[in-house]
Amino acid sequence: MTSALARVLLGGRAAWALTAGAVAFVLVQALRLRLSYYDSWDYWNDARARLGEPGAVFYRVHGPLEALLLSPLVATLDRDGRGPWSGPHLLHVGLAALTLVALHRWLRPVVGARGAAVGVLAFVATRLFVRYAPHALVDIPAAGWVAATFAAWDRAEGAATRGHRARARAWAVAAGVALGAGMLHKYTLLALPGALGGAALLRAALEPRGGAQLGRLALTGLSCLTVFALGFGATFLRV
C-alpha cells in the first residue's frame, strides 16, 4: 500500500495537480497584497525613479530589469502603491509560472516527463515559492532565468550533436538572451557566465570537435552582453 501511495504522489498527473494548487494559492494572495510588503516597495521606487518622479531614488544595488518591468504599471497605482488592481503582484505570479515552465523544459530531457513534473512540484513546495511568488521580488524570476539559460544551452548542444547547426546557433543565442536578462534581474547572476563558460571550455578541450562548441559559446556571450548593455543603458541613462 505504501508503494502504491508513493506511485500516486510521485505520478506526473498528481504532481501537476498539486503544482496547479500552489499556483492558484499564490494567485489568490496576489489579489490581496500591496507593495509595502518586504522589498517590493523598493523595487516600485526604482521604477518611479526611472520615470523621473520627484523624490524617487533608484537603489543602485538592484538590477534594472525589475524596474523596466514595473515601469508600465506606475501610472496604475498611487504614490503609496495602492490602486484598483494588483498589477505588480499579478505580474510576478506570471513570472513565477514562466519560471516553472523553464524549470520543466530544463529537467524533462534529463529525468523524463514524470521526473520533471516532480521536480517542478519540489520547487513550488518550498517556502520561497509559496510565500514570496506573489511579491514584487526578483529571486524567483532569477531562478527562472537560470533554468531558461541551461535549458537553451542543453538544446543547443543536443541540436549540434544531431547535426542541426543552424538550430544549435539559435539556441545558443537564446541561452545568451536568458543569461543577460537574468543578470539584469539580479546582479548575483553575474557569476553564472563564468561557471557556464568554464564548463563549456573544459568540455571543448576534451572533445575532438571543441571548436564548434567555442563558436556557440561566443554567440551566447555576445547575445548576453548585448542584452545586458541594452537593459542597463535603458535604465541608467535615464536615472
Side-chain angles (χ1 to χ4, degrees), residues 3 11 25 28 38 43 47 56 62 68 81 84 103 107 121 123 146 152 154 166 172 187 190 207 211 226-227:
S3 60
F25 173 78
V28 171
Y38 302 110
Y43 289 110
H62 291 166
L68 287 168
L103 181 61
L107 292 175
L121 175 61
F123 183 78
V146 172
D154 285 347
Y187 283 147
L190 287 166
E207 292 186 350
T226 300
V227 169

Side-chain angles (χ1 to χ4, degrees), residues 17-34 38 86-100 120-121 123-137 140-141:
L18 292 171
T19 297
V23 174
F25 173 78
V26 300
L27 178 59
V28 171
Q29 294 298 308
L31 295 172
R32 301 171 53 193
L33 293 172
R34 290 298 180 266
Y38 302 110
S86 303
H89 300 290
L90 293 174
L91 169 67
H92 279 77
V93 172
L95 292 175
L98 290 175
T99 293
L100 301 183
V120 170
L121 175 61
F123 183 78
V124 302
T126 63
R127 188 172 186 268
L128 171 67
F129 188 91
V130 174
R131 189 71 183 93
Y132 300 113
H135 292 278
L137 301 172
I140 292 177

Side-chain angles (χ1 to χ4, degrees), residues 109-205:
V110 180
V111 296
R114 178 178 295 182
V118 173
V120 170
L121 175 61
F123 183 78
V124 302
T126 63
R127 188 172 186 268
L128 171 67
F129 188 91
V130 174
R131 189 71 183 93
Y132 300 113
H135 292 278
L137 301 172
V138 301
D139 304 276
I140 292 177
W145 290 122
V146 172
T149 299
F150 288 147
W153 181 256
D154 285 347
R155 278 161 175 75
E157 294 295 283
T161 300
R162 294 187 296 272
H164 301 153
R165 296 181 181 179
R167 187 174 300 176
R169 289 192 292 268
W171 279 116
V173 170
V177 170
L179 181 55
M183 290 159 50
L184 286 171
H185 224 146
K186 192 173 178 67
Y187 283 147
T188 51
L189 294 189
L190 287 166
L192 191 56
L196 180 61
L201 288 172
L202 179 61
R203 183 176 177 182

Side-chain angles (χ1 to χ4, degrees), residues 173 175-181 183-184 190 193 217-233:
V173 170
V177 170
L179 181 55
M183 290 159 50
L184 286 171
L190 287 166
L217 182 62
L219 284 174
T220 298
L222 181 60
S223 56
C224 171
L225 289 175
T226 300
V227 169
F228 186 80
L230 290 174
F232 201 85

